[in-house]
Amino acid sequence: MATGNPFNTILKTLQKPGGGEFGKYYSLPALSDPRIDRLPYSIRILLESAIRNCDEFQVKSKDVENIIDWETTSTKQEEIPFKPARVILQDFTGVPCVVDLACMRDAMNKLGGDSNKINPLIPVDLVIDHSVQVDIARSENAVQANQELEFQRNKERFSFLKWGSKAFNNMLVVPPGSGIVHQVNLEYLARVVFNTNGLLYPDSVVGTDSHTTMIDGLGVAGWGVGGIEAEAAMLGQPMSMVLPGVVGFKLSGKLRNGLTATDLVLTVTQMLRKHGVVGKFVEFYGEGMSELSLADRATIANMSPEYGATMGFFPVDHVTLQYLKLTGRSDETVSLIESYLRANKMFVDYSEPQVERVYSSYLELNLEDVEPCVSGPKRPHDRVPLKEMKADWHACLDNKVGFKGFAVPKEYQNKVVEFTFNGTPAQLRHGDVVIAAITSCTNTSNPSVMLGAALVAKKACELGLQVKPWIKTSLAPGSGVVTKYLQKSGLQPYLNQLGFHVVGYGCTTCIGNSGDIHEAVASAIAEHDVVAAAVLSGNRNFEGRIHPLTRANYLASPPLVVAYALAGTVGIDFETEPIGLGKDGKQIFFRDIWPSNEEIADVVQSSVLPDMFKATYEAITNGNLMWNQLAVPSSSLYQWDPASTYIHEPPYFKDMTMSPPGPHGVKSAYCLLNFGDSITTDHISPAGSIHKDSPAARYLLERGVDRRDFNSYGSRRGNDEIMARGTFANIRLVNKFLNGQVGPKTTHIASGEVLSVFDAALRYKSEGDDLIVLAGSEYGSGSSRDWAAKGPMLLGVKAVIAKSFERIHRSNLVGMGIIPLCFKPGEDTETLGLTGHERYTINLPSNVNEIRPGQDVTVVTDNGKSFTCVLRFDTEVELAYFNHGGILQYAIRSLINAKH
């Protein structure tokens, strides 16, 4: 079990520049190990965490040595434990986390423990950015109207989270309407360096949203995880991760005039996607770093999921410190951050000679080579130089259906569809823009592109250009600060004049919350099979994601979003063709409305002020009228409403006792599903809309919920009954039992009936039968990971036997008490002659001390087959979780048994 920290000998005191002490810290230089100087800065953060948390149980000296020896060990798939400094939750994914904490309190109370001990042991920041459905746009009251609609739809969820903010210590809940989670994290929540009871250490964060990586632009190591990992981290459990390779990305030169951060990030995304960075860190360095603002860095870091890296990291330097001052952090705080990071070799000072660091591989980009571009029409890494856009668009019309093709016959490519809009004749062609959205996530941390877009609007209005009234325009800043500096600059009225009214401060178009297109436009598109376009300043543009009727979706900088809205089509050559006609019928070109870098810099300098950040965030926890009027109980134990279809008490702790259940094998289990390779968590986990004929829909209809109020699986993540019914409900599921038929069904082996997966599982459960899942390689890759483990557990799945697992999904299965087993190399269901119609017995020792991580176990079937699998409990800590029936049960018993 845990012992004292063997590294307490390197605890040093950090002195204040003017006298006095900041606190103590674990000093990396005090190790006197020359290997540390060569480590990437991102790896040093992992190292400091391992040293500070070393107890020879959860974190061992061997783990510290593996990190120090990163040059050697990073190529060997070594697993290390990592304890982040804090957790950040977005409301969709935060609700089930708070549900589980509330359930743990109930369980602890029933077991006679102090239920108030169930509190996050590390800070938890929960931001309700309530994805805004852009139902009301082009109006001055869009923000208020959209917010009222969101409160009407999500009042129960919001009330529950407000209760959580009062019931749990160490949990800050940022009310709806304050901003998008990533930007609030960047501008307000990030500590960069913690000072907890006099102990100093670097800020690091895991979050339940893939774009948590935006914080890496601030020099805070952060990335997205599933809910089970987030909950475990809150309760002091380490995350298991493979020690990553680090790609060194060198930047040189300076962006040319007229270039934006979006042009840069789309270029970087394409380069990194081509290089291959899945599961790796990317660390940026080089003399070009001094030319990148913090907002530019955050834009690049935000898109880590799009280029596939765990994070895109920018070490702290003078630019970071300037941003911290700009956003209202105190001089003393900034002094602490700089002093600590310098003392612990985590600060980059480009005015000093640089010690050469070692990276797993290298890339280099001269910023002068970046050119204006967009990305699309269906993937974020399909970059198109702006000068080639018209030609590329016509090629896409020609090409066969695919990521770069729509297969429109030549004779139909120039067709004109006539329709009537509000009584006025109108026309629509392939490539015409029907949605133009400056969206929250990637770009709206960046004043240069936001004010650049406003300057484009100003020039366009002054020249007499207009946006066609049927184009759905919207502006969704990630922070209230954006509204302040747009107003201060005097430029917001020009955006309003073109229809870019502020609609809200949460996720919008990029996540599919575009709202409805005008009925006349929608009919014209649908009836004449028009390939309509959306242009947005987001980070994801997969087909069907932005809007069902926009088959072409392009990512672009905010200024380009305005330009394309004015042009009305993506099929334009901005260099040679006019955007439109201005006053007196004069042709207006792109160059006439595009601001220079100097113009943008001047307005940023005069309009973006520290007081704006202070004013915005001093009041952030005060909420708004609708939030403040939400009545919530004051009790520390939640009063569950059995009639609720949003918040429901899950059965994880039913019949839990103080004695751990101990290890348990699986006896004569049926196979629920028989899969091949590459089953992702998107196949397993409930996601998207609730299909009208699904078990989840049946459940809601039985409880009087009208079809139009089904909402999504995401909004109902706090109800395990809905989520269990949505597990394995993906319409693209391929199950070998169905002989090539695709869909969310399976065969009930005993009767031969074909049922929905949920109904089959329910039948097995009523008959007292356990279940397993058979799978191929890479089982569980993807995101949406928590319910991909919770759902199968609720269905009665006791084990998954696969050729290989995605790393995080394997640990989540362990966390929910499901046994992960791997076939021996060269073996699978085919080579072993398994059909899935057999019954499976997995023999495990009944004494936990007789089980070892990675040992061989025997699986026997009822028809006489026997084969050996590898037991994928990879650490002693995971064995402890399994002994307790799961990670949350382990945490409860540990807290009850704790002496303090």
Side-chain angles (χ1 to χ4, degrees), residues 43 109 113 153 158 200 285 352 368 370 387 397 403 409 432 469 557 623 633 669 799 827 860:
I43 299 299
N109 194 49
R153 286 173 173 160
F158 292 170
L200 311 176
Y285 69 104
E352 298 174 353
E368 292 175 9
V370 175
K387 63 187 179 187
L397 290 177
F403 292 124
D432 276 6
S557 66
E827 294 185 348
V860 179

Side-chain angles (χ1 to χ4, degrees), residues 666-702:
V666 177
K667 304 296 182 187
S668 201
Y670 281 106
C671 177
L672 178 63
L673 293 149
N674 186 2
F675 292 132
D677 296 338
S678 300
I679 292 295
T680 71
T681 46
D682 285 341
H683 291 109
I684 307 167
S685 184
S689 59
I690 297 172
H691 193 273
K692 61 183 177 64
D693 298 322
S694 66
R698 199 166 66 230
Y699 173 90
L700 289 169
L701 289 170
E702 287 169 358

